[in-house]
Amino acid sequence: ISSLPTVEGWLSHYQGFWIPTKCMHGVLATQKHLQAHETDILLATIPKAGTTWLKAILFALVNRVRYLDSQQHPLLANNPHTLLPFLETKLFYKKNEVSDLTLLTSPRLFATHLSYSSLPTSVKNSTCKIVYVCRNPKDTFVSQWHFQNKVGALMVTKPVSNSLEQSFNNFCRGMSVYGPFWDHVLSYWIESLEKPEKVFFLKYEEMKEQPIIHLKRLAEFLGCSFSPEEEEKGRVNDILKLCSFDNLSNLEINKKGKSSVFGIENASYFRKGEVGDWKNYLTAQMVERLDCITEEKFHTVGLKF
Ligand code: A3P
């Protein structure tokens, strides 16, 4: 690990992506030890694309028969990151300790920020399902910038420059958490085109705009479609309401407490939860630069934001 090229020490360049140096051990351990089961469901995202939201949705969706009528739904008392743990920063994070995941009930739900190319071989070779969530690069960048300013000190070993301009330059050059952003998105987009039964590709913006349609699509992809009776009972809306920004961000557990190995406060995962906040931060020049890169990287594969 110490021989990898780094950005100011805190991001290490590994298999074409910039991984937080503090996560490198967990990444290597995940790649080495995870044995995927056919029934596993893996949520993959680039940081700040809506991971917390989709963790809540996946947990509520998959466990709806067991919990949706319960007054003590686990999401009311636990942060989504506790219920659907990250592989590299939770389950395989501890040095000298390999998590025994065989005892977890099926379907096992995990999350990762790894690109498709860096996923453990057993994930790629098994028939387990992958749900990938991404977000337009301008909002992703702004959200990452806020988050880093808030919690960066917990993640870095020496100070990094946090000016919007410097961070923006780094983002455009691909030097952002789990970036280059475009390569990360492309790695899953291409796979979702080739193997639609394995990779479900979802944009934050489309989930915001048409949540009912996309939640039903997601359920179908996972093999747990809503029955007509469930639809009649309003189950789709129940899940969306439970997992909404307003509901989750106002729960005591998410206002207080910490759930990550880095000591990040749960409240840090909830900021505005809107589409288009970039308009409040980026200059016309910045927008043009980012749009240009996005167009250049994505136009040949038919991906638009
Ligand atoms: P903003 O910073 O734009 O508000 P991640 O979960 O991948 O870390 O992403 C965090 C982003 O998702 C933040 O975006 C956060 O506010 C938003 N978010 C968190 N929970 C959400 C929810 N239930 N619905 C919609 N957006 C949510």
Side-chain angles (χ1 to χ4, degrees), residues 212-251:
I212 296 176
I213 289 179
H214 293 293
L215 180 53
K216 285 202 221 168
R217 278 182 57 226
L218 181 57
E220 206 178 308
F221 168 78
L222 295 174
C224 59
S225 299
F226 290 91
S227 66
E229 296 75 42
E230 283 184 302
E231 290 209 27
E232 211 162 283
K233 269 174 122 179
R235 289 318 202 193
V236 180
N237 271 320
D238 289 346
I239 291 176
L240 291 171
K241 217 166 129 192
L242 175 67
C243 302
S244 69
F245 182 88
D246 281 350
N247 188 52
L248 291 183
S249 61
N250 282 310
L251 293 172

mmCIF file of all heavy atoms in Angstrom, residues 212-251:
data_model
loop_
_atom_site.group_PDB
_atom_site.id
_atom_site.type_symbol
_atom_site.label_atom_id
_atom_site.label_comp_id
_atom_site.label_asym_id
_atom_site.label_seq_id
_atom_site.Cartn_x
_atom_site.Cartn_y
_atom_site.Cartn_z
ATOM 1 N N ILE A 212 -41.854 5.960 -7.859
ATOM 2 C CA ILE A 212 -42.718 4.767 -7.860
ATOM 3 C C ILE A 212 -42.292 3.823 -8.979
ATOM 4 O O ILE A 212 -42.083 2.616 -8.756
ATOM 5 C CB ILE A 212 -44.206 5.163 -8.022
ATOM 6 C CG1 ILE A 212 -44.635 5.984 -6.815
ATOM 7 C CG2 ILE A 212 -45.090 3.937 -8.203
ATOM 8 C CD1 ILE A 212 -46.040 6.528 -6.864
ATOM 9 N N ILE A 213 -42.123 4.403 -10.155
ATOM 10 C CA ILE A 213 -41.729 3.577 -11.311
ATOM 11 C C ILE A 213 -40.412 2.863 -11.036
ATOM 12 O O ILE A 213 -40.264 1.656 -11.266
ATOM 13 C CB ILE A 213 -41.592 4.469 -12.570
ATOM 14 C CG1 ILE A 213 -42.977 4.925 -13.010
ATOM 15 C CG2 ILE A 213 -40.858 3.731 -13.693
ATOM 16 C CD1 ILE A 213 -42.987 5.828 -14.208
ATOM 17 N N HIS A 214 -39.434 3.598 -10.509
ATOM 18 C CA HIS A 214 -38.104 2.989 -10.351
ATOM 19 C C HIS A 214 -38.036 2.018 -9.176
ATOM 20 O O HIS A 214 -37.292 1.047 -9.229
ATOM 21 C CB HIS A 214 -37.039 4.076 -10.284
ATOM 22 C CG HIS A 214 -36.923 4.805 -11.586
ATOM 23 N ND1 HIS A 214 -36.463 4.193 -12.727
ATOM 24 C CD2 HIS A 214 -37.286 6.061 -11.949
ATOM 25 C CE1 HIS A 214 -36.515 5.047 -13.740
ATOM 26 N NE2 HIS A 214 -37.020 6.189 -13.294
ATOM 27 N N LEU A 215 -38.822 2.262 -8.155
ATOM 28 C CA LEU A 215 -38.843 1.292 -7.053
ATOM 29 C C LEU A 215 -39.459 -0.027 -7.537
ATOM 30 O O LEU A 215 -38.970 -1.118 -7.201
ATOM 31 C CB LEU A 215 -39.625 1.851 -5.854
ATOM 32 C CG LEU A 215 -39.703 0.922 -4.642
ATOM 33 C CD1 LEU A 215 -38.318 0.447 -4.206
ATOM 34 C CD2 LEU A 215 -40.404 1.606 -3.473
ATOM 35 N N LYS A 216 -40.486 0.078 -8.366
ATOM 36 C CA LYS A 216 -41.099 -1.151 -8.894
ATOM 37 C C LYS A 216 -40.136 -1.882 -9.828
ATOM 38 O O LYS A 216 -40.051 -3.104 -9.813
ATOM 39 C CB LYS A 216 -42.395 -0.805 -9.637
ATOM 40 C CG LYS A 216 -43.544 -0.454 -8.705
ATOM 41 C CD LYS A 216 -44.828 -0.662 -9.457
ATOM 42 C CE LYS A 216 -45.837 0.408 -9.187
ATOM 43 N NZ LYS A 216 -46.963 0.389 -10.095
ATOM 44 N N ARG A 217 -39.413 -1.118 -10.639
ATOM 45 C CA ARG A 217 -38.398 -1.731 -11.527
ATOM 46 C C ARG A 217 -37.331 -2.448 -10.704
ATOM 47 O O ARG A 217 -36.886 -3.537 -11.028
ATOM 48 C CB ARG A 217 -37.696 -0.648 -12.355
ATOM 49 C CG ARG A 217 -38.439 -0.193 -13.598
ATOM 50 C CD ARG A 217 -37.585 0.840 -14.341
ATOM 51 N NE ARG A 217 -36.275 0.320 -14.698
ATOM 52 C CZ ARG A 217 -35.116 0.973 -14.517
ATOM 53 N NH1 ARG A 217 -35.099 2.170 -13.987
ATOM 54 N NH2 ARG A 217 -33.980 0.423 -14.872
ATOM 55 N N LEU A 218 -36.931 -1.786 -9.635
ATOM 56 C CA LEU A 218 -35.892 -2.358 -8.775
ATOM 57 C C LEU A 218 -36.373 -3.675 -8.160
ATOM 58 O O LEU A 218 -35.651 -4.679 -8.137
ATOM 59 C CB LEU A 218 -35.533 -1.337 -7.672
ATOM 60 C CG LEU A 218 -34.446 -1.723 -6.683
ATOM 61 C CD1 LEU A 218 -33.144 -2.053 -7.386
ATOM 62 C CD2 LEU A 218 -34.205 -0.564 -5.693
ATOM 63 N N ALA A 219 -37.631 -3.667 -7.686
ATOM 64 C CA ALA A 219 -38.193 -4.876 -7.077
ATOM 65 C C ALA A 219 -38.235 -6.017 -8.104
ATOM 66 O O ALA A 219 -37.879 -7.164 -7.800
ATOM 67 C CB ALA A 219 -39.591 -4.584 -6.541
ATOM 68 N N GLU A 220 -38.612 -5.664 -9.313
ATOM 69 C CA GLU A 220 -38.684 -6.675 -10.373
ATOM 70 C C GLU A 220 -37.288 -7.250 -10.651
ATOM 71 O O GLU A 220 -37.104 -8.466 -10.753
ATOM 72 C CB GLU A 220 -39.231 -6.007 -11.630
ATOM 73 C CG GLU A 220 -39.936 -6.941 -12.568
ATOM 74 C CD GLU A 220 -40.472 -6.156 -13.761
ATOM 75 O OE1 GLU A 220 -41.171 -5.148 -13.562
ATOM 76 O OE2 GLU A 220 -40.150 -6.559 -14.890
ATOM 77 N N PHE A 221 -36.312 -6.354 -10.746
ATOM 78 C CA PHE A 221 -34.932 -6.777 -11.007
ATOM 79 C C PHE A 221 -34.446 -7.744 -9.923
ATOM 80 O O PHE A 221 -33.756 -8.720 -10.200
ATOM 81 C CB PHE A 221 -34.025 -5.533 -11.058
ATOM 82 C CG PHE A 221 -32.551 -5.834 -11.031
ATOM 83 C CD1 PHE A 221 -31.902 -6.270 -12.188
ATOM 84 C CD2 PHE A 221 -31.808 -5.695 -9.869
ATOM 85 C CE1 PHE A 221 -30.537 -6.556 -12.170
ATOM 86 C CE2 PHE A 221 -30.448 -5.978 -9.838
ATOM 87 C CZ PHE A 221 -29.811 -6.413 -11.002
ATOM 88 N N LEU A 222 -34.841 -7.472 -8.685
ATOM 89 C CA LEU A 222 -34.372 -8.305 -7.568
ATOM 90 C C LEU A 222 -35.211 -9.566 -7.387
ATOM 91 O O LEU A 222 -34.947 -10.376 -6.496
ATOM 92 C CB LEU A 222 -34.370 -7.495 -6.260
ATOM 93 C CG LEU A 222 -33.392 -6.318 -6.221
ATOM 94 C CD1 LEU A 222 -33.582 -5.509 -4.941
ATOM 95 C CD2 LEU A 222 -31.946 -6.799 -6.330
ATOM 96 N N GLY A 223 -36.208 -9.707 -8.225
ATOM 97 C CA GLY A 223 -37.039 -10.910 -8.133
ATOM 98 C C GLY A 223 -38.024 -10.857 -6.983
ATOM 99 O O GLY A 223 -38.462 -11.895 -6.491
ATOM 100 N N CYS A 224 -38.365 -9.638 -6.547
ATOM 101 C CA CYS A 224 -39.359 -9.532 -5.470
ATOM 102 C C CYS A 224 -40.384 -8.456 -5.840
ATOM 103 O O CYS A 224 -40.621 -7.519 -5.076
ATOM 104 C CB CYS A 224 -38.695 -9.259 -4.126
ATOM 105 S SG CYS A 224 -37.709 -7.755 -4.053
ATOM 106 N N SER A 225 -40.979 -8.620 -7.004
ATOM 107 C CA SER A 225 -41.979 -7.647 -7.488
ATOM 108 C C SER A 225 -43.119 -7.469 -6.494
ATOM 109 O O SER A 225 -43.435 -8.394 -5.742
ATOM 110 C CB SER A 225 -42.592 -8.146 -8.802
ATOM 111 O OG SER A 225 -41.600 -8.278 -9.764
ATOM 112 N N PHE A 226 -43.745 -6.323 -6.529
ATOM 113 C CA PHE A 226 -44.909 -6.077 -5.672
ATOM 114 C C PHE A 226 -46.118 -6.809 -6.244
ATOM 115 O O PHE A 226 -46.374 -6.734 -7.446
ATOM 116 C CB PHE A 226 -45.205 -4.573 -5.610
ATOM 117 C CG PHE A 226 -44.178 -3.790 -4.855
ATOM 118 C CD1 PHE A 226 -43.080 -3.235 -5.500
ATOM 119 C CD2 PHE A 226 -44.294 -3.616 -3.479
ATOM 120 C CE1 PHE A 226 -42.121 -2.521 -4.804
ATOM 121 C CE2 PHE A 226 -43.337 -2.901 -2.779
ATOM 122 C CZ PHE A 226 -42.241 -2.351 -3.440
ATOM 123 N N SER A 227 -46.826 -7.517 -5.397
ATOM 124 C CA SER A 227 -48.035 -8.203 -5.856
ATOM 125 C C SER A 227 -49.154 -7.160 -5.988
ATOM 126 O O SER A 227 -49.071 -6.081 -5.384
ATOM 127 C CB SER A 227 -48.452 -9.273 -4.840
ATOM 128 O OG SER A 227 -48.837 -8.625 -3.638
ATOM 129 N N PRO A 228 -50.210 -7.483 -6.748
ATOM 130 C CA PRO A 228 -51.334 -6.534 -6.860
ATOM 131 C C PRO A 228 -51.890 -6.181 -5.469
ATOM 132 O O PRO A 228 -52.254 -5.024 -5.221
ATOM 133 C CB PRO A 228 -52.370 -7.307 -7.683
ATOM 134 C CG PRO A 228 -51.570 -8.311 -8.453
ATOM 135 C CD PRO A 228 -50.395 -8.664 -7.606
ATOM 136 N N GLU A 229 -51.909 -7.152 -4.557
ATOM 137 C CA GLU A 229 -52.424 -6.875 -3.204
ATOM 138 C C GLU A 229 -51.522 -5.867 -2.481
ATOM 139 O O GLU A 229 -52.002 -4.944 -1.818
ATOM 140 C CB GLU A 229 -52.486 -8.157 -2.351
ATOM 141 C CG GLU A 229 -53.441 -9.226 -2.841
ATOM 142 C CD GLU A 229 -52.912 -9.977 -4.069
ATOM 143 O OE1 GLU A 229 -51.706 -10.296 -4.084
ATOM 144 O OE2 GLU A 229 -53.687 -10.208 -5.013
ATOM 145 N N GLU A 230 -50.227 -6.052 -2.656
ATOM 146 C CA GLU A 230 -49.287 -5.116 -2.003
ATOM 147 C C GLU A 230 -49.459 -3.708 -2.572
ATOM 148 O O GLU A 230 -49.420 -2.718 -1.835
ATOM 149 C CB GLU A 230 -47.847 -5.574 -2.234
ATOM 150 C CG GLU A 230 -47.396 -6.739 -1.367
ATOM 151 C CD GLU A 230 -45.931 -7.071 -1.601
ATOM 152 O OE1 GLU A 230 -45.571 -7.362 -2.756
ATOM 153 O OE2 GLU A 230 -45.151 -7.019 -0.635
ATOM 154 N N GLU A 231 -49.639 -3.651 -3.876
ATOM 155 C CA GLU A 231 -49.802 -2.333 -4.505
ATOM 156 C C GLU A 231 -51.064 -1.659 -3.994
ATOM 157 O O GLU A 231 -51.090 -0.474 -3.707
ATOM 158 C CB GLU A 231 -49.851 -2.474 -6.027
ATOM 159 C CG GLU A 231 -48.492 -2.870 -6.579
ATOM 160 C CD GLU A 231 -48.262 -2.372 -7.991
ATOM 161 O OE1 GLU A 231 -48.858 -1.349 -8.376
ATOM 162 O OE2 GLU A 231 -47.477 -3.011 -8.706
ATOM 163 N N GLU A 232 -52.117 -2.475 -3.886
ATOM 164 C CA GLU A 232 -53.384 -1.945 -3.397
ATOM 165 C C GLU A 232 -53.251 -1.419 -1.969
ATOM 166 O O GLU A 232 -53.839 -0.410 -1.595
ATOM 167 C CB GLU A 232 -54.425 -3.057 -3.443
ATOM 168 C CG GLU A 232 -55.826 -2.549 -3.687
ATOM 169 C CD GLU A 232 -56.699 -3.703 -4.144
ATOM 170 O OE1 GLU A 232 -56.604 -4.110 -5.324
ATOM 171 O OE2 GLU A 232 -57.423 -4.222 -3.282
ATOM 172 N N LYS A 233 -52.442 -2.117 -1.200
ATOM 173 C CA LYS A 233 -52.234 -1.715 0.197
ATOM 174 C C LYS A 233 -51.320 -0.491 0.319
ATOM 175 O O LYS A 233 -51.077 0.008 1.417
ATOM 176 C CB LYS A 233 -51.572 -2.869 0.973
ATOM 177 C CG LYS A 233 -52.558 -3.817 1.645
ATOM 178 C CD LYS A 233 -51.803 -4.977 2.243
ATOM 179 C CE LYS A 233 -52.000 -5.151 3.717
ATOM 180 N NZ LYS A 233 -51.238 -6.330 4.212
ATOM 181 N N GLY A 234 -50.733 -0.057 -0.806
ATOM 182 C CA GLY A 234 -49.867 1.128 -0.777
ATOM 183 C C GLY A 234 -48.447 0.857 -0.312
ATOM 184 O O GLY A 234 -47.762 1.742 0.206
ATOM 185 N N ARG A 235 -47.986 -0.387 -0.534
ATOM 186 C CA ARG A 235 -46.650 -0.760 -0.053
ATOM 187 C C ARG A 235 -45.522 0.039 -0.703
ATOM 188 O O ARG A 235 -44.513 0.343 -0.072
ATOM 189 C CB ARG A 235 -46.395 -2.255 -0.286
ATOM 190 C CG ARG A 235 -47.205 -3.162 0.614
ATOM 191 C CD ARG A 235 -47.212 -2.619 1.980
ATOM 192 N NE ARG A 235 -47.494 -3.613 2.979
ATOM 193 C CZ ARG A 235 -47.805 -3.327 4.233
ATOM 194 N NH1 ARG A 235 -47.896 -2.079 4.631
ATOM 195 N NH2 ARG A 235 -48.023 -4.278 5.103
ATOM 196 N N VAL A 236 -45.707 0.345 -1.998
ATOM 197 C CA VAL A 236 -44.658 1.083 -2.707
ATOM 198 C C VAL A 236 -44.476 2.451 -2.040
ATOM 199 O O VAL A 236 -43.358 2.871 -1.704
ATOM 200 C CB VAL A 236 -45.025 1.248 -4.208
ATOM 201 C CG1 VAL A 236 -43.947 2.008 -4.942
ATOM 202 C CG2 VAL A 236 -45.246 -0.123 -4.833
ATOM 203 N N ASN A 237 -45.594 3.116 -1.803
ATOM 204 C CA ASN A 237 -45.516 4.433 -1.160
ATOM 205 C C ASN A 237 -45.038 4.353 0.279
ATOM 206 O O ASN A 237 -44.351 5.254 0.767
ATOM 207 C CB ASN A 237 -46.876 5.131 -1.217
ATOM 208 C CG ASN A 237 -46.986 5.937 -2.494
ATOM 209 O OD1 ASN A 237 -46.019 6.570 -2.918
ATOM 210 N ND2 ASN A 237 -48.140 5.878 -3.131
ATOM 211 N N ASP A 238 -45.408 3.268 0.964
ATOM 212 C CA ASP A 238 -44.949 3.106 2.352
ATOM 213 C C ASP A 238 -43.425 3.118 2.411
ATOM 214 O O ASP A 238 -42.813 3.748 3.276
ATOM 215 C CB ASP A 238 -45.451 1.778 2.945
ATOM 216 C CG ASP A 238 -46.953 1.811 3.210
ATOM 217 O OD1 ASP A 238 -47.530 2.916 3.181
ATOM 218 O OD2 ASP A 238 -47.534 0.726 3.429
ATOM 219 N N ILE A 239 -42.830 2.380 1.473
ATOM 220 C CA ILE A 239 -41.360 2.296 1.462
ATOM 221 C C ILE A 239 -40.745 3.658 1.123
ATOM 222 O O ILE A 239 -39.800 4.115 1.775
ATOM 223 C CB ILE A 239 -40.888 1.210 0.460
ATOM 224 C CG1 ILE A 239 -41.272 -0.168 0.999
ATOM 225 C CG2 ILE A 239 -39.383 1.295 0.204
ATOM 226 C CD1 ILE A 239 -40.968 -1.331 0.075
ATOM 227 N N LEU A 240 -41.328 4.311 0.116
ATOM 228 C CA LEU A 240 -40.766 5.606 -0.292
ATOM 229 C C LEU A 240 -40.878 6.641 0.825
ATOM 230 O O LEU A 240 -39.976 7.446 1.035
ATOM 231 C CB LEU A 240 -41.471 6.107 -1.558
ATOM 232 C CG LEU A 240 -41.170 5.281 -2.814
ATOM 233 C CD1 LEU A 240 -42.063 5.696 -3.975
ATOM 234 C CD2 LEU A 240 -39.689 5.410 -3.202
ATOM 235 N N LYS A 241 -41.986 6.577 1.556
ATOM 236 C CA LYS A 241 -42.184 7.527 2.647
ATOM 237 C C LYS A 241 -41.203 7.255 3.792
ATOM 238 O O LYS A 241 -40.566 8.163 4.329
ATOM 239 C CB LYS A 241 -43.625 7.390 3.163
ATOM 240 C CG LYS A 241 -44.239 8.707 3.552
ATOM 241 C CD LYS A 241 -45.720 8.544 3.724
ATOM 242 C CE LYS A 241 -46.099 9.127 5.078
ATOM 243 N NZ LYS A 241 -47.444 8.797 5.487
ATOM 244 N N LEU A 242 -41.077 5.980 4.118
ATOM 245 C CA LEU A 242 -40.156 5.590 5.192
ATOM 246 C C LEU A 242 -38.729 6.054 4.873
ATOM 247 O O LEU A 242 -37.990 6.491 5.749
ATOM 248 C CB LEU A 242 -40.198 4.060 5.346
ATOM 249 C CG LEU A 242 -39.225 3.414 6.331
ATOM 250 C CD1 LEU A 242 -39.576 3.819 7.761
ATOM 251 C CD2 LEU A 242 -39.256 1.884 6.197
ATOM 252 N N CYS A 243 -38.350 5.936 3.597
ATOM 253 C CA CYS A 243 -36.962 6.208 3.199
ATOM 254 C C CYS A 243 -36.750 7.621 2.675
ATOM 255 O O CYS A 243 -35.663 7.941 2.189
ATOM 256 C CB CYS A 243 -36.527 5.207 2.124
ATOM 257 S SG CYS A 243 -36.655 3.510 2.686
ATOM 258 N N SER A 244 -37.767 8.462 2.779
ATOM 259 C CA SER A 244 -37.627 9.812 2.229
ATOM 260 C C SER A 244 -36.606 10.616 3.031
ATOM 261 O O SER A 244 -36.338 10.333 4.206
ATOM 262 C CB SER A 244 -38.980 10.534 2.267
ATOM 263 O OG SER A 244 -39.317 10.806 3.615
ATOM 264 N N PHE A 245 -36.059 11.622 2.384
ATOM 265 C CA PHE A 245 -35.073 12.491 3.041
ATOM 266 C C PHE A 245 -35.671 13.087 4.316
ATOM 267 O O PHE A 245 -35.046 13.065 5.369
ATOM 268 C CB PHE A 245 -34.651 13.602 2.069
ATOM 269 C CG PHE A 245 -33.597 14.511 2.635
ATOM 270 C CD1 PHE A 245 -32.255 14.213 2.499
ATOM 271 C CD2 PHE A 245 -33.962 15.670 3.323
ATOM 272 C CE1 PHE A 245 -31.277 15.044 3.039
ATOM 273 C CE2 PHE A 245 -33.000 16.499 3.873
ATOM 274 C CZ PHE A 245 -31.654 16.189 3.729
ATOM 275 N N ASP A 246 -36.895 13.604 4.217
ATOM 276 C CA ASP A 246 -37.515 14.251 5.378
ATOM 277 C C ASP A 246 -37.675 13.286 6.537
ATOM 278 O O ASP A 246 -37.377 13.614 7.680
ATOM 279 C CB ASP A 246 -38.892 14.812 5.004
ATOM 280 C CG ASP A 246 -38.742 16.118 4.252
ATOM 281 O OD1 ASP A 246 -37.614 16.639 4.221
ATOM 282 O OD2 ASP A 246 -39.749 16.582 3.674
ATOM 283 N N ASN A 247 -38.143 12.079 6.219
ATOM 284 C CA ASN A 247 -38.357 11.120 7.305
ATOM 285 C C ASN A 247 -37.025 10.686 7.934
ATOM 286 O O ASN A 247 -36.835 10.791 9.144
ATOM 287 C CB ASN A 247 -39.128 9.907 6.797
ATOM 288 C CG ASN A 247 -39.517 8.993 7.938
ATOM 289 O OD1 ASN A 247 -40.102 9.447 8.923
ATOM 290 N ND2 ASN A 247 -39.150 7.724 7.853
ATOM 291 N N LEU A 248 -36.102 10.231 7.102
ATOM 292 C CA LEU A 248 -34.845 9.703 7.655
ATOM 293 C C LEU A 248 -34.046 10.787 8.378
ATOM 294 O O LEU A 248 -33.516 10.560 9.463
ATOM 295 C CB LEU A 248 -33.982 9.087 6.545
ATOM 296 C CG LEU A 248 -34.482 7.802 5.889
ATOM 297 C CD1 LEU A 248 -33.467 7.296 4.867
ATOM 298 C CD2 LEU A 248 -34.752 6.706 6.916
ATOM 299 N N SER A 249 -33.959 11.965 7.766
ATOM 300 C CA SER A 249 -33.087 12.985 8.357
ATOM 301 C C SER A 249 -33.639 13.520 9.679
ATOM 302 O O SER A 249 -32.905 14.099 10.465
ATOM 303 C CB SER A 249 -32.844 14.129 7.377
ATOM 304 O OG SER A 249 -34.068 14.748 7.051
ATOM 305 N N ASN A 250 -34.947 13.312 9.914
ATOM 306 C CA ASN A 250 -35.518 13.798 11.173
ATOM 307 C C ASN A 250 -35.585 12.759 12.284
ATOM 308 O O ASN A 250 -36.045 13.051 13.379
ATOM 309 C CB ASN A 250 -36.911 14.374 10.913
ATOM 310 C CG ASN A 250 -36.794 15.754 10.299
ATOM 311 O OD1 ASN A 250 -36.078 16.613 10.807
ATOM 312 N ND2 ASN A 250 -37.456 15.953 9.174
ATOM 313 N N LEU A 251 -35.145 11.549 12.001
ATOM 314 C CA LEU A 251 -35.140 10.521 13.049
ATOM 315 C C LEU A 251 -34.006 10.804 14.040
ATOM 316 O O LEU A 251 -32.905 11.202 13.632
ATOM 317 C CB LEU A 251 -34.935 9.136 12.429
ATOM 318 C CG LEU A 251 -36.057 8.597 11.542
ATOM 319 C CD1 LEU A 251 -35.617 7.306 10.842
ATOM 320 C CD2 LEU A 251 -37.308 8.353 12.380
#
